Amino acid sequence: MELAFIPSPSRGVLYVGPIPLRGYAFCIIIGVFVAVWLGNKRWIARGGRAGTVADIAVWAVPFGLVGGRLYHVITDYELYFSEGRDWVDAFKIWEGGLGIWGAIALGALGAWIGCRRRGIPLPAYADAVAPGIAFAQAIGRWGNWFNQELYGKPTDLPWALEITSSSDGRVPGTYHPTFLYESLWCIGVAFLVIWADRRFRLGHGRAFALYVAAYCTGRAWIEYMRVDDAHHILGLRLNVWTAIFVFLLAVTYLVVSSKKRPGREDVVEPGASASGDDANGGGTSEETVKDDEAAGRDDQVADEAQADADRNEAGSGKKT
């Protein structure tokens, strides 16, 4: 008998009249807002303009959603195109099914388009948003909790996840909450990137590469715990191999980039400093205010000296 466990919600959608409010979608939306908010703060701190991150996210987010869904549908095609399945379900993104690998790949393409339109280097933008993406993943994983999906092997640990649904081959019981493990791991990755970026002043895409490498490390062992159906290659799940491959690419980039382009970019957004933007999002800096006040005092002194000179000249004229 289980003494404690994490209960699953009785349902993952609430209806306000005819409008469905889905927990999975809410988690994705909240995650996006957090990523943009934190990315904006980090971008401004690097010398960019306020609002640039959101402008580029308009390109990156839709591309990322499409890429994430494409990866899921392609790697789990039998869920939508096998006998007895309805291919229309492949478009029902709100029911769950986003592959982070596809989301990052196509999201990067969308970000590249947005950066190119603004004349911004993509690596600098990626460094700024990297921790926010990790936080967004941590929040987004709770969407799996609402859908009672992507859990691990059976367990009777106190933090086991209770599955009550029996649809789509689920067997009610208590399982490892792999969604929670990955959520906590992503939070740790976000803080790791923030710390390393401050400590080593990572630049030219290395903060983003660190995020990718750290995430893949955790994803590999968490993926190995899952019991949902997946394609296997040489005894390992496809996503485990993907995590290993992407990890090696990220580490390679870290090493090569640090040798070829050490340090951090001096300018991340051309014209940001010239336009008067500062770390507070475009306000007037304290130094500028002090300079203006000093200049005003000098002008006042000069005016008073000129007035004294005029009075002396007028006085001397009367004596003559």
Side-chain angles (χ1 to χ4, degrees):
M1 181 178 67
E2 298 85 4
L3 297 178
F5 53 81
I6 301 173
S8 289
S10 58
R11 54 181 176 174
V13 57
L14 296 175
Y15 286 89
V16 179
I19 302 175
L21 304 177
R22 301 183 182 275
Y24 186 89
F26 266 115
C27 291
I28 298 297
I29 293 171
I30 294 172
V32 169
F33 274 107
V34 169
V36 171
W37 171 79
L38 181 57
N40 182 65
K41 289 178 66 68
R42 287 172 52 81
W43 183 252
I44 293 173
R46 283 187 172 228
R49 291 190 177 96
T52 296
V53 168
D55 292 342
I56 296 176
V58 171
W59 289 90
V61 172
F63 273 74
L65 291 175
V66 172
R69 189 61 175 177
L70 280 176
Y71 180 89
H72 168 73
V73 171
I74 292 173
T75 56
D76 290 309
Y77 61 88
E78 65 278 357
L79 297 177
Y80 308 100
F81 302 105
S82 60
E83 185 177 357
R85 299 283 185 169
D86 187 356
W87 63 271
V88 176
D89 291 340
F91 296 95
K92 297 179 180 179
I93 191 173
W94 56 86
E95 294 183 354
L98 288 174
I100 186 61
W101 317 110
I104 293 296
L106 271 193
L109 175 59
W112 176 80
I113 294 174
C115 287
R116 186 176 177 83
R117 291 167 59 91
R118 299 289 293 266
I120 292 171
L122 176 61
Y125 180 84
D127 284 342
V129 300
I133 294 176
F135 280 126
Q137 288 178 252
I139 297 170
R141 272 304 173 197
W142 283 86
N144 301 135
W145 176 68
F146 280 102
N147 287 351
Q148 297 196 38
E149 60 185 2
L150 305 186
Y151 45 86
K153 300 174 182 178
T155 183
D156 57 357
L157 290 171
W159 56 85
L161 172 68
E162 182 190 36
I163 296 297
T164 58
S165 174
S166 58
S167 61
D168 293 331
R170 297 182 181 91
V171 178
T174 55
Y175 300 85
H176 277 285
T178 50
F179 84 91
L180 177 61
Y181 298 161
E182 186 168 339
S183 179
L184 294 175
W185 183 269
C186 287
I187 292 174
V189 169
F191 282 117
L192 170 66
V193 174
I194 292 173
W195 171 81
D197 194 26
R198 291 176 177 174
R199 175 67 176 81
F200 303 105
R201 291 185 57 80
L202 301 176
H204 303 287
R206 287 189 288 277
F208 185 82
L210 176 61
Y211 144 72
V212 173
Y215 171 74
C216 289
T217 302
R219 178 60 185 268
W221 68 266
I222 294 172
E223 182 74 24
Y224 186 75
M225 296 178 64
R226 283 167 43 174
V227 295
D228 54 299
D229 293 332
H231 296 285
H232 287 72
I233 301 175
L234 299 177
L236 292 179
R237 294 165 65 96
L238 173 61
N239 282 333
V240 174
W241 285 110
T242 304
I244 294 173
F245 176 71
V246 176
F247 170 82
L248 293 175
L249 287 180
V251 171
T252 301
Y253 181 88
L254 273 170
V255 174
V256 174
S257 176
S258 61
K259 291 182 178 180
K260 288 190 173 183
R261 307 189 70 183
R264 180 184 286 182
E265 300 90 343
D266 294 327
V267 178
V268 296
E269 186 166 5
S273 299
S275 64
D277 294 337
D278 69 347
N280 293 320
T284 304
S285 67
E286 184 178 352
E287 291 78 4
T288 302
V289 172
K290 291 181 178 178
D291 290 343
D292 290 344
E293 291 177 351
R297 288 194 295 269
D298 292 343
D299 291 342
Q300 183 178 1
V301 171
D303 291 341
E304 291 176 355
Q306 182 64 41
D308 291 341
D310 291 342
R311 287 194 295 272
N312 292 335
E313 182 178 353
S316 62
K318 291 179 180 178
K319 290 179 182 179
T320 302

